[in-house]
Amino acid sequence: MTHLRGTKYQDLMLIQAKEVNTTDSVIINLFSSDIYSIYQATLDNKTNIIQQPTVQPWNAKELTLEDPDGYVFTITESVDTNKDFDTVIVNVKDHL
């Protein structure tokens, strides 16, 4: 993985896959402060949920969806806004 960062929350993560399909070659990641409202709307609208809201080691709760055209969206919400970047990275490395 290559992690390119502009400013805080302005990240581009490039991840090499063993196989690439057109439907998963680009994942759009959006930040939210209320992921459960979005999750409820996806349930109400019968959206294809790839991953329910899940707390990740990188201090984020993520919800991954697929739209009718096959595009994948990950909605992200911070878990602990007081954690600094270095602490988050140490936590990620501990989960590798």
Side-chain angles (χ1 to χ4, degrees):
M1 179 183 88
T2 300
H3 180 193
L4 307 173
R5 172 166 268 200
T7 60
K8 189 174 183 179
Y9 305 123
Q10 191 180 53
D11 301 291
L12 177 61
M13 290 181 240
L14 305 174
I15 303 169
Q16 183 176 7
K18 292 179 182 170
E19 295 180 26
V20 177
N21 299 313
T22 56
T23 58
D24 66 7
S25 61
V26 174
I27 299 173
I28 299 167
N29 193 297
L30 305 169
F31 184 77
S32 172
S33 59
D34 188 6
I35 201 167
Y36 284 109
S37 291
I38 296 169
Y39 178 59
Q40 186 59 51
T42 63
L43 293 173
D44 294 344
N45 290 292
K46 299 183 173 100
T47 303
N48 184 20
I49 299 170
I50 296 172
Q51 177 182 293
Q52 296 182 1
T54 304
V55 175
Q56 303 293 355
W58 46 89
N59 193 38
K61 191 179 307 166
E62 294 185 341
L63 165 66
T64 304
L65 314 167
E66 182 180 35
D67 81 357
D69 294 321
Y71 291 100
V72 177
F73 292 83
T74 297
I75 314 299
T76 302
E77 180 179 346
S78 292
V79 174
D80 182 352
T81 57
N82 295 317
K83 281 189 180 178
D84 62 61
F85 185 75
D86 292 332
T87 302
V88 172
I89 293 302
V90 167
N91 192 39
V92 169
K93 288 180 180 178
D94 289 345
H95 284 84
L96 294 178

